Amino acid sequence: GTSTGSTADVADLLYEQFGDDIASEPIEIDTIQGSVAKTFEQYGALVVGTPTWNTGADSERSGTGWDEIYYGEMQDLNLVGKKVAVFGLGDQVSYAENYADASGELYDVFEGLGCQMIGHTSQDGYEHEASKAIKGDKFCGLLCDAVNQEELTEDRVVQWVAQLKEEGILDGSSSATPEVAAAPAPTAADEINVVKELEEQSRILDENIMTHSGLKNDSDSFTPHHNPVTGRTMWTSADGRTCYYTVDAPKVGTKLSP
Ligand SMILES: Cc1cc2nc3c(=O)[nH]c(=O)nc-3n(C[C@H](O)[C@H](O)[C@H](O)COP(=O)(O)O)c2cc1C
């Protein structure tokens, strides 16, 4: 967003400073109204900027297209966890009580959407009295002043881009969906416990079936199936889950897998 071009100038400087690392040329917010979600959601991180015009108003302070979308279209965005850095332009002498206030509003809107806000800077070297862009004891992002400190802008941009890189702005795309923590791989001890647990459950199930079918868990409740060819007899339990074979005495017990 820009009215007289100074915010656009800083956006261009940021674009140059990022060089090949940046995915898009600066985008004027007015040009993407109606497709803000599609535009913002495709990038792993965002650097967003605004001037401050609407002095004294409680909200919609930028005087740009941002004001049209903050509390409408933007409220439907899914940007949770996305890294967002804010920059702003203002006049710290003429508007010392409201220096770059709109940057604070831009910050609040993205923060309210669950974005990971990065790029806070020190207030040292500015002459403002008050600003809604102050969060804690820092500015919410990079603040520039094309009216009173034009000569400092380039250095500020260079330093800020280095800071954003340190804060991981290029570290892959943050997912809008928080990652689900992966379960640790099962250990051998876990697997043994699972087998024991299954065996125990199987034993309990056998007991229940015996109890409810009125059968006793002894050889009387097994049914013989004689194979005259092999001479072996297969004895199956009433529930069909357990069997053993007899050839001659003694009988050989074999438990079927559950
Ligand atoms: C009518 C008017 C109101 C302004 N209000 C503020 C203000 O409240 N706070 C501030 O820091 N700057 C204020 N400014 C200064 C502008 O934010 C500053 O000139 C900025 O660089 C303009 O950015 P742009 O060229 O990208 O539109 C105001 C300027 C004008 C002319």
Side-chain angles (χ1 to χ4, degrees):
T2 190
S3 283
T4 53
S6 49
T7 307
D9 290 344
V10 173
D12 287 338
L13 286 174
L14 287 163
Y15 175 68
E16 281 168 29
Q17 190 58 33
F18 272 109
D20 292 342
D21 290 330
I22 203 154
S24 163
E25 288 182 7
I27 298 167
E28 168 53 47
I29 197 67
D30 287 332
T31 67
I32 59 165
Q33 281 188 21
S35 59
V36 174
K38 200 174 101 226
T39 308
F40 285 177
E41 286 169 12
Q42 69 181 300
Y43 299 114
L46 300 170
V47 179
V48 292
T50 181
T52 298
W53 285 90
N54 204 1
T55 321
D58 287 336
S59 64
E60 284 111 336
R61 297 290 306 277
S62 81
T64 73
W66 282 117
D67 298 340
E68 318 294 321
I69 60 170
Y70 279 156
Y71 309 106
E73 197 180 347
M74 280 192 70
Q75 294 305 312
D76 296 329
L77 299 187
N78 180 10
L79 302 178
V80 175
K82 200 180 285 289
K83 287 195 173 108
V84 174
V86 168
F87 69 98
L89 274 286
D91 176 342
Q92 64 196 286
V93 174
S94 305
Y95 301 93
E97 295 287 339
N98 298 96
Y99 176 48
D101 274 0
S103 312
E105 186 178 12
L106 182 59
Y107 179 99
D108 290 342
V109 171
F110 278 97
E111 190 183 43
L113 292 171
C115 298
Q116 186 185 344
M117 307 307 292
I118 60 172
H120 303 79
T121 64
S122 165
Q123 297 182 53
D124 293 349
Y126 296 81
E127 297 168 32
H128 60 291
E129 301 288 337
S131 170
K132 289 196 170 68
I134 298 170
K135 304 289 170 188
D137 60 352
K138 292 193 154 190
F139 284 138
C140 65
L142 169 69
L143 298 195
C144 296
D145 184 336
V147 182
N148 308 290
Q149 296 181 332
E150 174 81 75
E151 70 288 356
L152 299 181
T153 298
E154 209 163 322
D155 279 355
R156 283 175 172 164
V157 164
V158 170
Q159 277 183 26
W160 195 55
V161 169
Q163 176 187 337
L164 295 183
K165 288 181 178 176
E166 269 173 35
E167 291 181 36
I169 196 162
L170 302 176
D171 295 352
S173 60
S174 318
S175 169
T177 311
E179 269 186 46
V180 178
T187 63
D190 288 337
E191 284 171 8
I192 288 166
N193 284 338
V194 168
V195 170
K196 279 186 182 162
E197 176 72 10
L198 282 174
E199 283 176 353
E200 175 62 10
Q201 283 175 7
S202 176
R203 190 188 62 73
I204 292 168
L205 189 60
D206 286 347
E207 273 177 11
N208 283 342
I209 288 166
M210 291 298 175
T211 307
H212 293 293
S213 64
L215 295 169
K216 289 189 283 145
N217 188 13
D218 59 28
S219 60
D220 294 346
S221 61
F222 282 74
T223 309
H225 307 275
H226 184 66
N227 184 335
V229 179
T230 60
R232 298 200 321 164
T233 301
M234 180 173 73
W235 298 79
T236 55
S237 63
D239 64 345
R241 290 166 55 87
T242 309
C243 76
Y244 65 86
Y245 296 91
T246 53
V247 183
D248 294 315
K251 63 187 177 186
V252 180
T254 306
K255 190 163 188 183
L256 289 176
S257 299

